[in-house]
Amino acid sequence: QVQLVESGGGLVQAGGSLRLSCAASGSDFSINTMAWYRQAPGKQRELVARITNGGSTWYVDSVKGRFTISRDNAKNTVFLQMDRLKPEDTAVYYCTAGSFGWRYSPRYWGQGTQVTVSS
């Protein structure tokens, strides 16, 4: 079992930055990827960014060049640096841990952290 605890959400003006953190505890040898999802009111949950154990990253087009996912393996922590934030980035952001083969499959979810970007 893996437990995930997010932190770092909040309210920021458009153009500002936030850094989300996700601390993982426990173990599951099937886990090889960490990822962030988000869900805005009235919208479907979407995959925002993922990072494999080897450090390979992927981003949804809408955040490319503005968001950076990284990990500190020694501290079992994953980060999402969000720069040049836009009002449309407003959502609850969820940290996940899962496996990536031909597609990413999340197995564990954090409780979510609210990010609100004001215009």
Side-chain angles (χ1 to χ4, degrees):
Q1 291 287 327
V2 173
Q3 294 77 44
L4 304 171
V5 178
E6 303 105 331
S7 61
L11 173 64
V12 64
Q13 288 189 332
S17 298
L18 282 174
R19 189 192 198 202
L20 305 183
S21 299
C22 174
S25 59
S27 64
D28 182 332
F29 291 109
S30 71
I31 301 301
N32 62 15
T33 300
M34 302 287 289
W36 290 92
Y37 282 78
R38 67 184 178 186
Q39 187 165 23
K43 295 188 177 181
Q44 288 189 335
R45 190 173 293 178
E46 69 169 346
L47 178 62
V48 176
R50 66 166 187 258
I51 183 166
T52 66
N53 285 354
S56 177
T57 59
W58 173 93
Y59 301 91
V60 68
D61 285 347
S62 59
V63 307
K64 283 181 180 177
R66 300 188 299 120
F67 290 14
T68 303
I69 189 170
S70 61
R71 62 193 300 163
D72 183 336
N73 289 329
K75 297 183 178 179
N76 291 328
T77 302
V78 175
F79 305 98
L80 186 67
Q81 178 66 41
M82 305 184 294
D83 299 319
R84 291 184 283 137
L85 282 160
K86 303 176 181 180
E88 51 263 44
D89 294 317
T90 295
V92 177
Y93 284 71
Y94 298 90
C95 175
T96 69
S99 59
F100 179 66
W102 65 276
R103 60 173 293 178
Y104 176 64
S105 297
R107 292 196 62 184
Y108 303 97
W109 293 76
Q111 80 284 359
T113 185
Q114 177 70 47
V115 171
T116 302
V117 184
S118 63
S119 57

